[in-house]
Amino acid sequence: MMAPWNAPVFITRVWCIFEIFTAHTTDACKVDIVMPPKEKRSLELEVINDDGGINALYKTLAKTKVENANASVESDRLAILDWVESDVGCSTLNHQVNDLLRQWMLAVLTELVETRENTNDEDYADFCNQVGVILKTNGEYGAAMKLHQTARTICETVLGKDHKETATTYSNIGSVLFELGDYEGALSKYEEALAIRFSAFGKNHPSVATSYGNIGCALLGIGDYDGALSKHKECFAIQLSALGRNHPDVADTYGSIGSVLESMGDNKGALSKYEEALSIYLSVLGEDHPGVADIYCSIGSVLESMGDCDGAFAKHKEALAIRLSSLGKNHPDVAETYGYIGSVLEKMGDYEGALAKHKKALVISLSALGKNHPFVADTYLSIGSVLESMGDCDGAFAKYEKCLAIELSALGKNHPDVAETYRYIGSVLEKMGDYEDAMAKHKEALAIRMSALGKDHSDVAKTYNSIGVAQKKMSTPKDTATQPNRKLRTRLGSRRRSIKAVGEGCIGNTSTICT
Ligand SMILES: *[C@@H]1O[C@H](CO)[C@@H](O)[C@H](O)[C@H]1NC(C)=O
Ligand SMILES: *[C@@H]1O[C@H](CO)[C@@H](O)[C@H](O)[C@H]1NC(C)=O
């Protein structure tokens, strides 16, 4: 019984949680969740209320905490907790129950969309948009895209191509393309949205800022770091004066600027932006929100670059806990965190552990993102790197080639990530004694880096260094090549979740539920 829909009484009771978990994890049982019509209506209204629905959903789904739940009889509570702790553990149980609720909630929303299907009006388009955003943030990209396209068709027909609502649908389609790794496609949609917003709202409106921010994210994906930085700065200036500093959109922008600085090799600058973002998120969104997890993830990444593996590991653990409870175990953001943890473990010398994490990341990302996504490429690179550390050069080489093939088709041959992959291939070829091919790869890397990053970037220096080392080896082919310093590169999430605060109103009468 899902009531009230945003704070179900069921998940405050030990017996209920235990029963749902047991039924859910036993093949013989089918769990039916029901929601009173009044609750359904209230959920629907919440979803229409701009982005409120997403936040309310996150909050609801992070609420299962068997360790805090109660029972009428204290000895029952203790006995159940005893069993849980000796069996799956509290957090796994909580996540399983949350997963079940999430799947069900997404199904309810999809059903709500279907029941309104024959009303081809503006309201329906708006509803499609909102549900599409919720599906996207939950990693359901195909379904999200379908709804956004429906909304776009309606808006174009009913409101015209220059209307601000139509711009929103372009922007949303762009966001799904972004998640799918199609950064060029995303960029062109974001630009269409910007043009409309610019003439509809003027140049200082927050939604124009959002468009600049989106464009900045797409440019980062494409590998144009300077372009990305300047867009994020334009975005920031507008947001700061229109929204004030303590706004989640401003925090998003701090995070985005941090990501660009990190990509440019400025770790200290990145860290300070991430910390600004974190303090806003914590005060505005609370500590269980996925936005907070995103920032922990970014901080972990930059700490790893700065050589603080323990610090990085701790941050990724925090991110993982939030992502598992708010997004579920099959979400690409969870894969991203496994990737980071794997990369830290590799640095700490735990190769088996690292390999296991990267394989987990691969399974999730293949099914959530498809086999041609840049993150999948990156995961192959990570696996290759661990294999290389373990001394399996042939295995590593095969993975690097897989990574390169995906990157060439998804990102194009002039992307900085492609250069990085050439560097890996070059250094493993050196280890295998093939110095000429190694040199050729290093030179390809250098050419890309010089044109993408400029001659003063630290990565260009590194590439010169690799070439120097390779040249030396050709004359004295005895030393073993040094492996490039591994670091996950392709940031997954768009890091842009536009958010509105949600009222905690309880609707419905739940005092008679038997627990
Ligand atoms: C369980 O009961 C305690 C004490 O009455 C209360 O503080 C706590 O909030 C309850 N837990 C839940 C999940 O409702
Ligand atoms: C909820 O139901 C109980 C029992 O039927 C009733 O006594 C109470 O007044 C109801 N509360 C509300 C807010 O409707």
Side-chain angles (χ1 to χ4, degrees), residues 12 68-70:
T12 65
N68 298 337
N70 291 322

Side-chain angles (χ1 to χ4, degrees), residues 446 449-462 464:
L446 182 65
R449 290 209 152 107
M450 292 277 265
S451 78
L453 305 173
K455 65 178 172 35
D456 296 329
H457 193 279
S458 64
D459 281 357
V460 173
K462 275 193 250 165
Y464 273 124

Side-chain angles (χ1 to χ4, degrees), residues 508-512:
N509 187 343
T510 56
S511 63
T512 51

Side-chain angles (χ1 to χ4, degrees), residues 54-171:
I54 303 174
N55 268 353
L57 196 66
Y58 285 150
K59 281 196 183 153
T60 305
L61 293 175
K63 268 182 186 147
T64 309
K65 290 211 166 77
V66 69
E67 59 274 33
N68 298 337
N70 291 322
S72 314
V73 180
E74 178 65 5
S75 61
D76 284 5
R77 188 182 73 86
L78 294 175
I80 290 175
L81 280 185
D82 241 20
W83 177 86
V84 172
E85 267 154 25
S86 69
D87 201 86
V88 292
C90 289
S91 63
T92 304
L93 179 139
N94 294 340
H95 296 155
Q96 294 262 14
V97 173
N98 285 344
D99 274 343
L100 177 73
L101 296 180
R102 177 179 310 100
Q103 289 313 320
W104 173 80
M105 189 73 94
L106 295 178
V108 168
L109 289 173
T110 307
E111 187 196 297
L112 283 174
V113 171
E114 280 161 9
T115 56
R116 295 170 62 143
E117 204 151 37
N118 39 16
T119 55
N120 263 355
D121 57 12
E122 214 183 310
D123 281 350
Y124 176 61
D126 194 33
F127 193 66
C128 286
N129 256 333
Q130 302 295 0
V131 175
V133 171
I134 293 177
L135 290 172
K136 186 203 83 177
T137 48
N138 281 285
E140 305 279 340
Y141 303 123
M145 183 61 106
K146 238 182 100 202
L147 290 184
H148 289 315
Q149 281 167 342
T150 304
R152 175 189 60 186
T153 309
I154 297 171
C155 287
E156 281 181 348
T157 318
V158 179
L159 305 168
K161 288 199 172 176
D162 297 326
H163 195 276
K164 59 185 169 49
E165 298 295 338
T166 314
T168 303
T169 68
Y170 294 152
S171 182

